[in-house]
Amino acid sequence: MIRSASLKSVLLTGFAAVCLMSGAVSADTGATKATKDANANVLKELPFETDKKDFEWATKGFIANREDPLIKNKNGNIVWDLSATEFLKSDAPDTVNPSLWRNSQLYAMAGLFKSAEGVYQVRGFDLANVTFVRGETGWIVIDPLTAGETARAAYELLIKHVEDLPITAIIYTHSHGDHSGGANGVVEFGVKDMPIIAPAGFLEESISEGVIAGPAMTRRVIYHVGAPLKLDSKERVGAGLGVGLARGTYGLIPPTQTVSKNGEELVVDGVRMVFQITSGTEAPSEFNIGFPDLGVVNIAENANPTHHNILTPRGAKVRDAKLWSEALTEAIDMFDYADVLIVSHGWPVFEKDEIKTYLSNQRDAYAYLHDQTVRMMNSGATLQEIAANIELPESLAKQWYNRPYYGDYKFNARAVYQFYLGWFDGNPVHLEPLAPEVAGKKYVEAMGGAQSVYDKAKAAFDAGEYQWASELLNKLVFSDGDNTDAKNLLADTYEQMGFQTENAIWRNFYLTGAQELRGGVSKLPEDLSGRAAAVLFALPTKSVFDVIATQVDPKRMGENTLTLGFKFTDLGEEVTLEAHNGVLVYREGLVADSYDATLSVTRKDFLLGMTGKEPLAGKIASGAASIEGNPLAFAMFAGWIVPPTRDFNIVTP
């Protein structure tokens, strides 16, 4: 079953839309013997006792944490609970891969840290870190988190324990919402006309990733970060590069200044910075920042203490693994003066030699992934065959920061293949595959019916062959979405796969899928208009109409055509919208020969109408807006718009 949503849901960025969830169903199950054995083997394979350097670095420079572990919004609702990770202080249970447990323990080390002279970070208040650099007159804020409430709490912790100064600049290292959405919480502490600096293309890429594909990505982000799962040893233990996402107020504030040239130098509040453009690596718009006078490099999200994604499970543009490896080579040379390396997720790396090794080994991991995928691809291997065979050399694989906590090499090998050849493997059987429901019915019938398939899947489950069991049960569930026994066994199967995986995102996908199978889709709260409006009002007018164009139902439009004019009286903007052949064509200015109707309104009122907060009919009735021509033209236009579905099923038909 699918349900509709209003236009506002499409205007949420993927990361920003994760809100408090309720109604999730969890089975009280534990690890099977196969899972216990698999996790016990991990303890033997990795250097848990001999390499504890991360714990030294993650605690170095600690100053203080909040006395009150609860960060709340203005209504008193909890946005972030610093005490929720207390359970991670014990040894790894059977229900969590020990390597992932170690990773989650490190990310749970929260508070204010001094990374270098004049450079501080608040970690563990959100998915990402926020960095504060002491300028001549105030604080430069780098990557102000996802939510305004957590960003404000981080700033308050800083000024309480270090120095009470205003904010003199905000810098976004890249175009992902968990590094910019909290700007609304600290911008009021900024000096007049302070710069907001970002890499070139920041706003365009933020819109492309988080708005155009917003509804689908938002739904998948729920799985990605395990939003319906509680922090618990049987459910969510982290997100691979942080504890999770804060659930507060998202507010995108556009940059006032962009950096486009590699090696460009700026002096911001007396602090000299050198920028390395790395767009196309971890994000389509991104830079690293060197501080030559401080001996520090901010490597953004290009070298976190985990392998990253070439293609994210939540969905995004596929990334360039070759470019990524080359950017890390350039960073090694460009920032060779650095004694401290800070990251957007995780803890610093200290000392020049350690930094060089850290960057070199991560560079080699991305290069190996790229080169070996291409080698196998050019030898005729398909993306699935490559994924089954890709394996890092032991010298790289045993480095903790190359472990697949967030990105996985098997998943990424398929992404490299996609980057060059797309998802099609050349086999004509995949040119026009059957829909999952149709294929499910035919497979089940061919295998002797539902009971036969279930029995085979149960035998596979009992043998610890969970991947095969899940493939059988997925066919069975999609052949009959009402088969409760199949759904419950598939949920049990996903649960064991989640308990075994080293990848936090895979765990979240498995366990969120299990909850959906047992209890249905966890619904997003209805009122997300505050977040939606925060993004909506930051968009260029063309982007707003680009979004509307993706919601047109051509069957509703039929053979009808319209030419509509929009006059945004507060901005002096004029827009022409032509509707024909099932599409909307945006043109700047009133450039058509004639119009069916023209709406004169402030852009603010138009956007409030689009979010459903203040209907345009009321503005027209009050005289705050007016229509020239046929008013029924706008009613016809509105009737063609079908809002996106924001809570669609994923693991069931």
Side-chain angles (χ1 to χ4, degrees):
M1 181 182 297
I2 58 174
R3 298 171 175 83
S4 63
S6 64
L7 174 62
K8 64 188 177 184
S9 66
V10 79
L11 296 163
L12 298 174
T13 66
F15 273 140
V18 179
C19 299
L20 291 168
M21 313 294 286
S22 62
V25 177
S26 176
D28 186 17
T29 58
T32 62
K33 182 179 184 303
T35 294
K36 292 176 181 177
D37 290 345
N39 286 340
N41 285 335
V42 173
L43 288 171
K44 302 173 184 177
E45 294 170 356
L46 295 173
F48 287 90
E49 296 302 322
T50 58
D51 185 357
K52 297 184 178 182
K53 193 177 301 177
D54 285 338
F55 287 92
E56 298 174 17
W57 288 345
T59 54
K60 186 174 180 177
F62 176 74
I63 296 174
N65 202 353
R66 279 173 57 93
E67 295 178 4
D68 181 359
L70 303 180
I71 301 174
K72 300 179 180 179
N73 64 16
K74 62 182 179 182
N75 297 321
N77 297 321
I78 297 173
V79 168
W80 192 258
D81 182 358
L82 288 161
S83 66
T85 57
E86 287 294 313
F87 72 98
L88 288 164
K89 292 182 178 179
S90 64
D91 293 335
D94 294 330
T95 53
V96 185
N97 181 296
S99 180
L100 175 58
W101 185 263
R102 177 188 184 277
N103 170 268
S104 298
Q105 287 180 317
L106 287 159
Y107 276 107
M109 295 179 178
L112 173 65
F113 298 82
K114 182 177 181 179
S115 301
E117 193 62 40
V119 180
Y120 300 82
Q121 286 191 310
V122 174
R123 305 200 291 269
F125 277 37
D126 208 322
L127 186 68
N129 304 330
V130 56
T131 301
F132 299 95
V133 179
R134 176 62 159 89
E136 289 182 351
T137 61
W139 293 108
I140 300 164
V141 181
I142 303 174
D143 289 349
L145 307 181
T146 311
E149 292 86 352
T150 52
R152 179 192 291 261
Y155 175 67
E156 289 172 346
L157 187 65
L158 173 80
I159 62 175
K160 176 181 179 180
H161 292 282
V162 183
E163 193 172 7
D164 189 351
L165 293 170
I167 294 170
T168 52
I170 294 176
I171 300 176
Y172 307 138
T173 60
H174 60 289
S175 52
H176 291 153
D178 55 322
H179 301 269
S180 56
N184 66 93
V186 295
V187 71
E188 66 183 272
F189 303 106
V191 299
K192 184 179 180 181
D193 298 326
M194 72 171 176
I196 300 176
I197 303 168
F202 171 88
L203 189 58
E204 293 83 354
E205 295 298 343
S206 297
I207 293 168
S208 173
E209 181 169 310
V211 180
I212 298 297
M217 191 178 297
T218 295
R219 178 71 181 102
R220 284 167 56 158
V221 166
I222 299 304
Y223 268 61
H224 190 93
V225 299
L229 307 173
K230 62 183 178 182
L231 278 166
D232 180 85
S233 61
K234 288 186 179 180
E235 295 191 28
R236 176 168 60 91
V237 296
L241 39 64
V243 173
L245 278 174
R247 297 168 173 175
T249 305
Y250 182 90
L252 175 64
I253 300 177
T256 61
Q257 182 177 350
T258 60
V259 176
S260 59
K261 295 180 181 179
N262 199 40
E264 187 170 341
E265 184 172 317
L266 294 178
V267 177
V268 180
D269 192 20
V271 178
R272 187 161 65 104
M273 305 178 189
V274 179
F275 296 86
Q276 179 196 9
I277 303 299
T278 63
S279 298
T281 56
E282 188 275 335
S285 172
E286 186 157 4
F287 54 42
N288 296 326
I289 312 170
F291 300 87
D293 302 326
L294 302 177
V296 174
V297 57
N298 183 329
I299 208 70
E301 205 165 327
N302 288 303
N304 297 310
T306 172
H307 184 58
H308 213 293
N309 288 297
I310 303 303
L311 179 65
T312 63
R314 66 182 166 86
K317 294 178 180 178
V318 66
R319 298 158 184 175
D320 187 340
K322 183 174 184 292
L323 178 65
W324 200 326
S325 67
E326 291 171 348
L328 289 175
T329 297
E330 183 178 62
I332 292 168
D333 297 332
M334 192 169 180
F335 306 117
D336 60 354
Y337 52 78
D339 294 305
V340 178
L341 177 145
I342 57 174
V343 292
S344 293
H345 296 273
W347 45 95
V349 178
F350 298 94
E351 300 178 7
K352 285 185 174 67
D353 289 344
E354 294 282 6
I355 291 170
K356 183 176 181 180
T357 299
Y358 177 84
L359 293 178
S360 297
N361 283 337
Q362 291 211 29
R363 181 267 319 280
D364 291 351
Y366 289 110
Y368 185 94
L369 170 73
H370 172 272
D371 295 348
Q372 295 311 306
T373 297
V374 172
R375 180 184 66 81
M376 287 186 274
M377 177 184 79
N378 286 334
S379 297
T382 66
L383 71 171
Q384 303 294 7
E385 291 168 335
I386 296 169
N389 288 286
I390 195 81
E391 187 175 347
L392 284 187
E394 186 172 319
S395 57
L396 294 176
K398 288 201 172 181
Q399 301 297 330
W400 293 112
Y401 45 75
N402 279 337
R403 301 304 300 174
Y405 303 119
Y406 191 62
D408 186 274
Y409 294 93
K410 295 180 183 298
F411 198 99
N412 281 345
R414 296 196 290 268
V416 173
Y417 185 103
Q418 178 183 327
F419 182 84
Y420 287 104
L421 296 182
W423 58 266
F424 178 54
D425 60 5
N427 189 329
V429 73
H430 298 136
L431 284 171
E432 192 177 6
L434 295 172
E437 294 91 337
V438 175
K441 287 181 171 62
K442 290 186 177 295
Y443 272 98
V444 169
E445 181 183 0
M447 294 181 70
Q451 188 61 51
S452 174
V453 175
Y454 181 89
D455 290 344
K456 289 178 172 62
K458 183 64 167 63
F461 179 91
D462 291 342
E465 297 176 358
Y466 300 125
Q467 183 60 48
W468 176 230
S470 69
E471 291 189 26
L472 289 170
L473 290 163
N474 183 62
K475 297 293 187 191
L476 186 52
V477 168
F478 272 87
S479 75
D480 178 8
D482 294 324
N483 189 327
T484 302
D485 289 342
K487 289 196 291 185
N488 286 338
L489 184 55
L490 181 54
D492 292 345
T493 305
Y494 282 154
E495 197 165 54
Q496 296 305 315
M497 296 167 83
F499 290 167
Q500 289 187 28
T501 183
E502 190 177 6
N503 188 291
I505 303 308
W506 285 28
R507 180 184 175 95
N508 292 339
F509 265 84
Y510 285 133
L511 299 186
T512 304
Q515 284 202 350
E516 185 174 323
L517 285 160
R518 291 174 178 139
V521 176
S522 298
K523 305 300 186 295
L524 285 168
E526 287 300 318
D527 185 13
L528 293 177
S529 58
R531 290 188 176 194
V535 179
L536 177 59
F537 282 83
L539 298 182
T541 298
K542 181 181 183 302
S543 297
V544 173
F545 284 102
D546 286 345
V547 170
I548 296 173
T550 66
Q551 299 184 13
V552 170
D553 184 340
K555 292 182 179 179
R556 292 191 180 192
M557 183 188 292
E559 298 299 320
N560 293 300
T561 64
L562 282 176
T563 302
L564 302 175
F566 296 84
K567 296 179 180 179
F568 296 122
T569 54
D570 53 337
L571 301 178
E573 285 186 338
E574 294 180 336
V575 169
T576 296
L577 199 64
E578 298 174 348
H580 42 66
N581 297 323
V583 300
L584 301 183
V585 178
Y586 170 92
R587 302 173 69 187
E588 291 185 4
L590 296 177
V591 295
D593 294 332
S594 62
Y595 291 84
D596 292 286
T598 300
L599 173 66
S600 295
V601 65
T602 66
R603 201 185 96 128
K604 177 182 177 181
D605 285 344
F606 174 72
L607 297 179
L608 289 172
M610 289 294 96
T611 61
K613 297 184 74 172
E614 297 181 18
L616 282 172
K619 301 294 182 182
I620 294 170
S622 69
S626 63
I627 293 178
E628 300 174 29
N630 182 4
L632 295 179
F634 282 100
M636 179 185 291
F637 169 68
W640 300 341
I641 307 301
V642 178
T645 302
R646 65 178 180 179
D647 55 4
F648 51 82
N649 298 350
I650 291 180
V651 293
T652 55

